[in-house]
Amino acid sequence: MPGCLLIRAAMTTAPLSSPDLPASAIDSATAHLRDVLAIALEHSPGQRALVVYDTRTGLARALAEAYRRNLPDAVFVDFDSVAPSEVLALFKTFAPRDLVVLVQSSNFRLDGFRLRVELFKLGLKVIEHVHLSRMPGTQGEHYIESLAYDPRYFRGVGHALKQRIDRARRAEVHGGGAVLRFDSPLEAAKLNVGDYSAMANAGGQFPIGEVFTEAQDLEAVSGRAQIHVFGDTQYLVNRPDKPVTIVIERGRVVEAIDATPEFQQMLDIIRRDEGEVWVRELGFGMNRAFTRERRVDDIGTYERMCGIHLSLGAKHGVYAKPGFKRKDARYHIDVFAVTDAVYLDDERVYADGAWTVES
């Protein structure tokens, strides 16, 4: 479909709710997304692309402009200026391996249509930017930095971590004097590093940068971890003034030392609905744009920070475990551990705020 096609209807666009980002940020977004498109998504100029966006926030407008610069022949649709049925109909005009980009200040509602899942069913490549309104001001610039795609780092270090995770017999996370032990082999690690060559679907939610697993025997997890950030009931980053120390026995949180009211509320909700608080995911975040001190408010974005995160609650859709019924497992709450060192067997794989393995 030649030319930069912009679809608008005679409807009022939603009002702008945040100022524009600096021109330099848009230039950076353009450069980073150029690499994401060419290297991670393997999108070539001859392939069709659709960008569905809104203009409610400065970050959304910056990303839409960056995509316009990189995809001059794409179809661009302002979500707030068309009927949802038009968007749904347009998806079906694209062929497998075409690209759909979603730039969302919140998340687009399309009558129960699960956007990314349903687009994957159509065989489309997908880049999803979501909940951008949760990252105002300079946080938007941090988000843009997190889109930088270095394939040597993400793919090389990501695959090296997976190799070591998959053969490890045990793991330890050290931080702030606390030690959390995984005295069990780990589940086969999953990668979110922009390498889709061995996957059924290409793309997903951006930014990327994570390798995750969990203990094969959940009851073999014990010790302590200092939690410096957790996801609250509004899906926002909550950082206590002092880290909360969680005490884990046989895979369950049995005590939370120095818990804030918000952290205790989260534990109480899980216990109320699930009976106990399991520790499940062991996540190796890889995105160097985010650190313990450099944060964004959206927990789903901050999850990629370079360090260790865990999940509290029985829910994990990737790893099925005996005794965990999908209908009863309701919670998967990301918590971020103070991380000074990570060991897989006797090999230290994390030091000085960075992963130390090589492919």
Side-chain angles (χ1 to χ4, degrees):
M1 196 173 293
C4 182
L5 179 60
L6 176 64
I7 295 181
R8 288 184 180 271
M11 297 173 63
T12 302
T13 302
L16 306 185
S17 60
S18 66
D20 288 335
L21 296 185
S24 59
I26 300 175
D27 291 340
S28 294
T30 302
H32 297 335
L33 292 173
R34 183 182 304 120
D35 291 337
V36 168
L37 290 165
I39 303 171
L41 273 295
E42 298 181 347
H43 181 79
S44 63
Q47 293 176 295
R48 296 180 68 207
L50 166 66
V51 180
V52 184
Y53 68 99
D54 67 57
T55 60
R56 303 173 201 168
T57 58
L59 180 52
R61 297 192 296 275
L63 293 176
E65 174 59 24
Y67 279 112
R68 283 194 182 92
R69 296 179 184 181
N70 282 306
L71 299 170
D73 295 325
V75 178
F76 282 79
V77 177
D78 181 344
F79 183 81
D80 290 321
S81 297
V82 298
S85 59
E86 294 180 60
V87 178
L88 291 172
L90 191 57
F91 288 149
K92 297 178 182 179
T93 68
F94 284 78
R97 310 306 293 173
D98 287 342
L99 173 68
V100 172
V101 178
L102 305 168
V103 180
Q104 306 161 91
S105 292
S106 55
N107 60 320
F108 297 149
R109 300 292 185 180
L110 290 171
D111 299 325
F113 186 89
R114 298 170 301 167
L115 269 174
R116 190 169 63 217
V117 173
E118 299 302 326
L119 292 173
F120 280 149
K121 287 181 180 179
L122 296 173
L124 298 165
K125 300 178 182 180
V126 180
I127 298 175
E128 185 174 24
H129 305 278
V130 67
H131 298 307
L132 302 178
S133 63
R134 296 176 183 170
M135 295 169 282
T138 57
Q139 289 189 37
E141 296 180 59
H142 298 337
Y143 181 92
I144 285 173
E145 184 179 340
S146 76
L147 299 175
Y149 188 66
D150 177 352
R152 182 175 180 180
Y153 169 69
F154 281 114
R155 297 183 182 189
V157 173
H159 283 283
L161 279 173
K162 175 176 168 54
Q163 291 168 6
R164 286 158 174 80
I165 290 167
D166 289 356
R167 68 174 183 242
R169 307 303 299 171
R170 62 186 307 276
E172 288 187 359
V173 177
H174 295 233
V179 179
L180 182 60
R181 298 176 180 85
F182 295 74
D183 292 315
S184 160
L186 302 172
E187 298 284 4
K190 303 298 182 181
L191 293 169
N192 181 7
V193 295
D195 180 1
Y196 307 107
S197 57
M199 299 183 181
N201 303 314
Q205 181 175 327
F206 278 68
I208 60 169
E210 181 186 7
V211 182
F212 64 89
T213 181
E214 69 177 28
Q216 290 185 14
D217 178 3
L218 294 178
E219 292 195 327
V221 182
S222 64
R224 298 185 176 207
Q226 289 193 353
I227 304 305
H228 65 89
V229 157
F230 64 96
D232 68 13
T233 56
Q234 302 301 311
Y235 306 102
L236 296 174
V237 162
N238 188 306
R239 189 193 190 205
D241 292 335
K242 178 181 180 180
V244 177
T245 299
I246 56 173
V247 182
I248 297 101
E249 295 178 1
R250 297 188 66 187
R252 292 109 160 151
V253 175
V254 297
E255 187 179 1
I257 302 169
D258 298 319
T260 62
E262 294 83 3
F263 192 87
Q264 189 61 53
Q265 179 189 30
M266 180 263 294
L267 295 181
D268 291 344
I269 290 171
I270 297 173
R271 288 197 176 101
R272 180 195 67 198
D273 296 333
E274 295 185 348
E276 49 196 348
V277 181
W278 284 93
V279 177
R280 294 211 57 176
E281 182 174 309
L282 172 60
F284 296 65
M286 292 180 58
N287 199 301
R288 296 175 290 193
F290 305 129
T291 67
R292 182 176 170 182
E293 299 302 328
R294 187 185 229 203
R295 303 178 302 278
V296 291
D297 289 339
D298 178 54
I299 196 69
T301 298
Y302 187 66
E303 182 182 1
R304 315 303 187 205
M305 76 149 288
C306 195
I308 288 292
H309 61 272
L310 311 166
S311 74
L312 303 185
K315 184 177 180 180
H316 202 299
V318 175
Y319 300 113
K321 286 289 202 295
F324 287 80
K325 296 180 180 179
R326 191 177 292 264
K327 66 180 180 65
D328 297 328
R330 298 183 58 181
Y331 298 105
H332 179 108
I333 309 298
D334 289 316
V335 299
F336 298 78
V338 174
T339 307
D340 300 321
V342 179
Y343 292 89
L344 294 171
D345 293 328
D346 295 324
E347 181 183 2
R348 185 172 181 173
V349 298
Y350 184 93
D352 300 321
W355 301 105
T356 59
V357 298
E358 296 181 358
S359 58

